Amino acid sequence: MVDLLDGKKAAQLADQEFSQRINDLKLMGITPGLAVILIGNDSASQVYVRNKKRRAQKVGINYQLFHLAENITQTAVLQLINKLNHDPEIDGIMVQMPVPPQIDAAKVMNAIAVDKDVDGFSFDNIGRLWSNNSGNFPATPRGIIRLLQQYEISVAQKHVVVVGRSNIVGRPMAGLLLNADATVTMAHSKTPNLAALTKQADILIVAIGQAEFITADYVKPQSVVIDVGMNHDVTGKLVGDVDFSSVSQVASMLTPVPGGVGPMTITGLLEQVIILAEKRA
Amino acid sequence: MVDLLDGKKAAQLADQEFSQRINDLKLMGITPGLAVILIGNDSASQVYVRNKKRRAQKVGINYQLFHLAENITQTAVLQLINKLNHDPEIDGIMVQMPVPPQIDAAKVMNAIAVDKDVDGFSFDNIGRLWSNNSGNFPATPRGIIRLLQQYEISVAQKHVVVVGRSNIVGRPMAGLLLNADATVTMAHSKTPNLAALTKQADILIVAIGQAEFITADYVKPQSVVIDVGMNHDVTGKLVGDVDFSSVSQVASMLTPVPGGVGPMTITGLLEQVIILAEKRA
């Protein structure tokens, strides 16, 4: 029988810890501040932003949403970021992706002060991650590391295969794992014979955006499988990149979708905000 | 029979190309300028710096050495970097490693203007590499990519195993390979069963600093092996991380030491300087 890596439960445990840490900060007169910039009316983005708000406010973070019009100019976005960079009450700033075409995402992300770049998408923070320095690192990989820690799964000396090489998940995930002494294989859409590689993984992390792509044939018996996917199947049901029914027959531990990596992504973000606020103490 | 990947020859070919590109630049009144900062009297560093000078001057680069005293202050180094950052004749600045203990290497490297950071060791350039953006990238990985190109060895869709995770070789090498559509495994000193992994490599790149560590048992038949090592064996002879005599029986192509990656590292540096100067045109 497969054991579930319950992200919802792990996120609740993390929230308890976060509430305590924020209480300690408030006793010192510090309230962690998170500014979220949402541009336009993408419906998925609105859901993500709402979920962040709920979780942030629950643990006591001062959550500020800046909802800008779809046709806002890049100059106006940069001015807002500049203002927030200088706001002593704001510890973290993030821009919800995707942004409309008139906005240069890389430029906007690199305009956020390095210390307030909670998403860790700026070149500077990516460089810090890959040179194993301290810095701000992306929420989803952070959340996955925390989920593994919660279940006492060490990555050191394990062979971890990461499928998918996005800037948001695959690449920073590989970097964090390498820094934690894992042997890491980075596979992607151009990888031939994918199953031959993934079948070697002690821990398999899948972030490819293809519904139920990873079946039991891709999985080493008794391994740990982390499913970062969020797709809708033909019936409209939310499913991961992993075929839960077959993989659960082979893996020893597996994240469900929903209730696996999703809640932990917000945990990763909140943790980063709190760490930044604690630097004010 | 193994074919040698002749870095000396490839570097000579590259130098011919570089001389031509620099002649074209000089017709426009531009001479590529490289500033090398050497601190103290480390004898290996002096050899490296001398080799760079010879190759740079041979292709027509304006090479300027700033040889600072072992006990120089960090402030003085930062002042020199600041001056060079603003010198329009200087396209690239590098600090020869290692630096004495009173100098913070990371601080010094990040003080170099991003556009002039020829070594690509600043956080910003590392971030550009890992997000697959344009930027300046480290000389050794650049040189290895060029060596493979010279021999028409494509990395796309190949499984490349990189052994060693230094900031100078292993990590940036993995990033460049991933960007070029290779499947990349990052292995290192904490990797168990290393041979089982390296034996799967279509291309094996070794940068671990252990004399003749990789024997035929670690190598897939007919694969390509790149040896970044520079060690002295018990007799004082210069040897790589790869046991040349046994691996040459198994691999299809192999870099010798010396005369393999070494000359191509300087090629990688010179190429980066020329690219920066061409941006002035």
Side-chain angles (χ1 to χ4, degrees):
Chain A
M1 263 299 279
V2 75
D3 282 324
L4 289 188
L5 291 163
D6 187 337
K8 209 172 159 188
K9 205 168 96 185
Q12 282 165 354
L13 279 169
D15 282 353
Q16 288 172 21
E17 177 200 311
F18 294 164
S19 294
Q20 187 54 57
R21 284 163 73 177
I22 291 174
N23 279 341
D24 293 347
L25 283 168
K26 285 183 176 171
L27 291 175
M28 291 182 273
I30 296 165
T31 301
L34 171 63
V36 175
I37 300 174
L38 172 65
I39 308 174
N41 300 302
D42 182 76
S43 60
S45 291
Q46 296 197 5
V47 173
Y48 294 144
V49 163
R50 205 156 48 226
N51 288 340
K52 284 170 193 162
K53 178 183 178 181
R54 195 183 60 238
R55 291 274 305 280
Q57 291 185 334
K58 186 179 145 207
V59 297
I61 288 174
N62 168 20
Y63 174 93
Q64 297 188 19
L65 177 66
F66 296 85
H67 193 166
L68 308 179
E70 181 81 28
N71 65 352
I72 190 111
T73 64
Q74 169 142 312
T75 308
V77 176
L78 293 175
Q79 279 168 349
L80 172 59
I81 289 173
N82 185 50
K83 198 183 119 228
L84 294 168
N85 281 345
H86 292 93
D87 183 341
E89 304 288 305
I90 294 298
D91 297 288
I93 305 167
M94 60 161 292
V95 179
Q96 182 68 42
M97 294 291 129
V99 291
Q102 78 276 16
I103 307 295
D104 177 342
K107 190 149 192 179
V108 161
M109 286 194 271
N110 284 292
I112 299 171
V114 172
D115 292 345
K116 296 193 177 188
D117 166 36
V118 267
D119 264 336
F121 293 157
S122 65
F123 295 141
D124 192 288
N125 275 312
I126 300 170
R128 287 167 181 273
L129 190 160
W130 279 100
S131 52
N132 202 4
N133 266 277
S134 59
N136 300 349
F137 306 138
T140 302
R142 283 190 82 95
I144 291 169
I145 294 281
R146 193 171 171 116
L147 181 62
L148 292 169
Q149 284 169 341
Q150 197 90 61
Y151 283 88
E152 296 180 347
I153 300 165
S154 166
V155 303
Q157 301 192 291
K158 301 281 175 61
H159 185 191
V160 186
V161 178
V162 178
V163 190
R165 53 174 164 170
S166 73
N167 290 333
I168 300 173
V169 183
R171 288 168 183 254
M173 186 80 254
L176 287 179
L177 290 163
L178 182 69
N179 293 346
D181 289 338
T183 300
V184 184
T185 295
M186 299 181 286
H188 46 79
S189 56
K190 303 277 173 61
T191 298
N193 305 319
L194 182 62
L197 276 174
T198 55
K199 266 183 106 77
Q200 297 178 49
D202 301 314
I203 302 172
L204 175 60
I205 301 179
V206 188
I208 52 175
Q210 295 209 46
E212 300 179 321
F213 182 88
I214 298 292
T215 55
D217 304 340
Y218 286 76
V219 175
K220 178 178 167 176
Q222 298 305 309
S223 63
V224 174
V225 180
I226 306 288
D227 185 354
V228 187
M230 298 266 261
N231 319 280
H232 293 278
D233 73 5
V234 285
T235 70
K237 194 182 133 203
L238 184 67
V239 296
D241 293 344
V242 173
D243 177 41
F244 189 90
S245 62
S246 77
V247 171
S248 60
Q249 307 296 315
V250 178
S252 70
M253 307 191 91
L254 173 59
T255 55
V257 175
V261 171
M264 293 309 289
T265 289
I266 299 182
T267 299
L269 174 68
L270 302 184
E271 183 181 43
Q272 185 65 78
V273 175
I274 295 165
I275 289 170
L276 292 173
E278 285 169 345
K279 289 186 183 163
R280 275 204 265 159
Chain B
M1 260 301 278
V2 75
D3 282 324
L4 288 187
L5 291 163
D6 186 338
K8 208 171 160 189
K9 205 168 94 184
Q12 282 165 354
L13 279 169
D15 281 352
Q16 288 172 20
E17 177 200 311
F18 295 164
S19 295
Q20 186 55 55
R21 284 164 73 177
I22 291 174
N23 279 341
D24 292 347
L25 283 169
K26 286 184 175 170
L27 291 175
M28 291 182 275
I30 296 165
T31 301
L34 171 63
V36 175
I37 300 174
L38 171 66
I39 308 174
N41 300 302
D42 182 76
S43 60
S45 291
Q46 296 197 4
V47 173
Y48 295 143
V49 163
R50 204 155 49 227
N51 288 340
K52 285 170 194 163
K53 178 183 178 183
R54 197 183 58 237
R55 291 274 306 279
Q57 292 184 333
K58 185 178 145 207
V59 297
I61 288 173
N62 169 19
Y63 174 95
Q64 298 187 18
L65 176 67
F66 296 84
H67 193 167
L68 308 179
E70 182 81 29
N71 65 352
I72 190 113
T73 64
Q74 170 142 311
T75 308
V77 177
L78 293 175
Q79 279 168 348
L80 171 60
I81 289 173
N82 186 50
K83 198 182 120 229
L84 295 168
N85 282 344
H86 292 93
D87 184 339
E89 303 288 305
I90 293 297
D91 297 287
I93 304 166
M94 61 161 293
V95 179
Q96 183 67 44
M97 294 291 130
V99 291
Q102 80 275 15
I103 307 294
D104 178 341
K107 189 150 192 178
V108 161
M109 287 193 270
N110 284 291
I112 299 171
V114 172
D115 293 345
K116 296 192 177 188
D117 165 36
V118 270
D119 265 335
F121 293 156
S122 65
F123 294 141
D124 193 288
N125 275 314
I126 301 170
R128 286 167 182 274
L129 189 162
W130 279 100
S131 53
N132 201 5
N133 266 277
S134 60
N136 300 349
F137 306 138
T140 303
R142 284 190 81 95
I144 291 170
I145 294 282
R146 193 172 172 116
L147 181 62
L148 291 169
Q149 285 169 343
Q150 197 90 61
Y151 282 89
E152 296 180 346
I153 300 164
S154 167
V155 302
Q157 301 193 289
K158 301 278 175 62
H159 186 191
V160 186
V161 177
V162 178
V163 189
R165 55 174 163 169
S166 72
N167 290 333
I168 299 173
V169 183
R171 288 168 182 253
M173 186 79 256
L176 287 178
L177 291 163
L178 182 69
N179 293 346
D181 289 338
T183 301
V184 184
T185 295
M186 299 181 286
H188 45 80
S189 57
K190 302 278 173 62
T191 297
N193 304 318
L194 182 62
L197 275 174
T198 56
K199 264 182 106 78
Q200 298 178 47
D202 302 314
I203 301 172
L204 175 61
I205 301 179
V206 188
I208 51 176
Q210 295 209 46
E212 301 179 320
F213 182 87
I214 298 291
T215 54
D217 304 340
Y218 286 75
V219 174
K220 179 178 166 176
Q222 297 305 307
S223 63
V224 174
V225 179
I226 306 287
D227 184 354
V228 187
M230 298 266 262
N231 318 282
H232 292 279
D233 73 5
V234 284
T235 69
K237 195 182 133 204
L238 184 67
V239 296
D241 293 344
V242 173
D243 176 42
F244 189 90
S245 63
S246 77
V247 170
S248 60
Q249 307 296 314
V250 179
S252 69
M253 306 191 92
L254 173 59
T255 55
V257 175
V261 172
M264 293 309 289
T265 289
I266 299 183
T267 299
L269 174 69
L270 302 184
E271 183 180 43
Q272 186 65 80
V273 175
I274 295 165
I275 289 170
L276 292 173
E278 286 170 343
K279 288 185 184 165
R280 277 204 263 159

